[in-house]
Amino acid sequence: MTAGSARRPPPPFLVAEVVGRDWLTPRLVRVTLEGEPLTSLEVTQPASSVRVLLPDPERPHDLELPSWDGNRFELSGGSRPVLRTLTPRHHESGGRLLKLDVVVHGDGAAARWASDAADGSPAAVSGPARGYSIDAEAETLVLGGDETATAAISQILEAATDVDVAVYLEIADAGSRPRLPDHPRCAIHWVDQEGKVPGAALADRLADVDLPGGARLWAAGEAASMQRLRQRLFNDRGVPRAHATIRGYWKHGRSGEDEGGG
C-alpha cells in the first residue's frame, strides 16, 4: 500500500444475533437481528445501507471480527471476511432490533445465511452509509428497482408521503410480488423480467418514463443495467444528473454478488 492511500476506517462492527426469519415472498426473507450494540446504530435517511458481516459457513456459530488494514478488511489468518451490503429495512433509534430483507436466489453466502441461519447465530453490522435525500422541490418521485431494492423503495415511500409516486418494480414472476407500504398517492407498476437478463426490462421501462421538470428519479438494481440506464437518461435524453439517483446494487454472473440486496 503506497503512502497516502489509506482510507478512513469504517464504523465499527456491532455484534448481534439472529432472532427470527420471516418469508415475505418465495424469494424474499426478512432476517431480524437483536443485540445491545445495535442501540448505537443511527439510520437517519431512507435507502441507506449497512455492511453485514456473516459467519464462516463452516462455523456458523463463530464470528471473528475483522481488522482494517487501511484499505480493506482482513481476518487473523489473512483471509477476507464474508461481507454483504444490505438496506436496513427497519431500525428504531436506540433500539436493539434490526430487520434486513434478503433476496434468496442462487447459492451465494447471503442467500444461504438468510435461508438457514438458526436463532442465536451471530452476525454483525457496520454503518450506515449515506442514504437518499428527497429533494424538497420534487413534485413527483419515480422509484425503480428489482427485488433487491424492495427495502429501499419501501423506506422512500414511507418518507415521501406528500408527493405523487410511481413505483416500477421488476420481479421474476407474479408470485414474487412483495407487499409495499401503503401510500396515498402511489401507482405501482410491476415489471416482468420476460426472460431477459435481470435488470434489462426495468432499465428499458425506466429509460422511457416521463420525467417532467418537477420529477425526480431514484433507481437501484443490477449494476450493468443501471449503467445502461444512466447512459440513456443522462446522455441520450439529457435528464439533469441532479434529478436522478441511480445505484448498482449487485452484479449478475459474478460469484458472491449475484444475490442479496442493496
Side-chain angles (χ1 to χ4, degrees):
M1 183 170 55
T2 60
S5 64
R7 295 155 54 193
R8 184 176 63 181
F13 280 102
L14 309 174
V15 178
E17 64 180 35
V18 175
V19 295
R21 291 185 297 119
D22 298 291
W23 288 91
L24 307 180
T25 77
R27 289 165 51 90
L28 187 65
V29 61
R30 176 167 295 165
V31 181
T32 301
L33 301 178
E34 182 177 18
E36 182 64 26
L38 294 177
T39 59
S40 65
L41 182 67
E42 290 291 337
V43 182
T44 59
Q45 290 183 313
S48 58
S49 63
V50 293
R51 283 190 182 95
V52 182
L53 172 67
L54 306 180
D56 185 327
E58 301 297 324
R59 296 180 295 139
H61 295 288
D62 296 326
L63 187 70
E64 178 187 350
L65 297 184
S67 60
W68 178 253
D69 70 358
N71 188 50
R72 67 178 189 174
F73 289 106
E74 285 188 348
L75 297 175
S76 57
S79 62
R80 301 289 296 276
V82 182
L83 295 170
R84 292 296 181 267
T85 301
L86 299 170
T87 298
R89 177 62 186 95
H90 181 74
H91 177 265
E92 293 184 357
S93 179
R96 293 170 50 92
L97 295 178
L98 173 67
K99 299 181 185 295
L100 301 167
D101 293 353
V102 184
V103 178
V104 176
H105 59 87
D107 190 36
R112 293 194 302 270
W113 173 75
S115 299
D116 302 332
D119 285 0
S121 60
V125 298
S126 171
R130 181 175 58 87
Y132 179 58
S133 179
I134 300 171
D135 191 333
E137 297 183 1
E139 299 172 2
T140 301
L141 280 178
V142 176
L143 306 177
D146 58 24
E147 291 162 287
T148 66
T150 301
I153 288 174
S154 296
Q155 290 181 337
I156 297 173
L157 278 173
E158 292 170 342
T161 57
D162 57 349
V163 297
D164 295 327
V165 182
V167 173
Y168 294 83
L169 193 60
E170 181 181 292
I171 54 172
D173 55 69
S176 298
R177 292 184 178 183
R179 178 178 175 82
L180 297 177
D182 293 331
H183 187 287
R185 295 155 61 182
C186 177
I188 300 175
H189 306 274
W190 301 104
V191 180
D192 193 326
Q193 275 190 12
E194 302 172 345
K196 299 179 180 178
V197 173
L202 174 68
D204 289 344
R205 189 75 175 273
L206 292 177
D208 295 327
V209 75
D210 186 29
L211 292 173
R216 301 293 184 268
L217 179 142
W218 181 95
E222 198 280 324
S225 296
M226 292 298 100
Q227 183 58 37
R228 289 194 296 273
L229 178 60
R230 292 187 189 96
Q231 168 76 30
R232 294 177 66 177
L233 289 181
F234 299 146
N235 297 350
D236 299 345
R237 290 183 53 182
V239 172
R241 291 179 180 268
H243 288 189
T245 298
I246 304 172
R247 296 174 176 170
Y249 270 3
W250 61 285
K251 295 181 180 180
H252 177 59
R254 178 174 291 187
S255 176
E257 296 192 49
D258 197 0
E259 59 170 351

